[in-house]
Amino acid sequence: MLENKWVQSGSSWSALALNIVPVLIFFSVVSGEGGSMPVVFTLLSLTIIISIFAIYVNRGKNILNTRVAVLGLSFSIGITMFMLAVASVTDLSQIT
């Protein structure tokens, strides 16, 4: 199953594409429209796990998919650090 090209490609690109959902929820929380910060960080942790899985599946086989998975992982870590920085400065309990 791990040798399937659709598993390799799908895991890499989904690791990159899933980064947009937590960002949208986070901006919804900050703008006061509602949302849940635990859901945001759960989705980000899921994206990090998928990225690590994609790196594992594509190791030594497809360099493009490996690079996409690494890019998804770096985006996930960067987004998490950005959200933690904004959440530490902003009192989100006053917004929601």
Side-chain angles (χ1 to χ4, degrees), residues 4 14 24 35 78:
N4 188 344
S14 66
L24 293 174

Side-chain angles (χ1 to χ4, degrees), residues 2 51-61 69:
L2 296 180
S51 299
I52 292 171
F53 172 75
I55 293 169
Y56 174 76
V57 167
N58 290 304
R59 68 191 187 291
K61 296 181 185 86

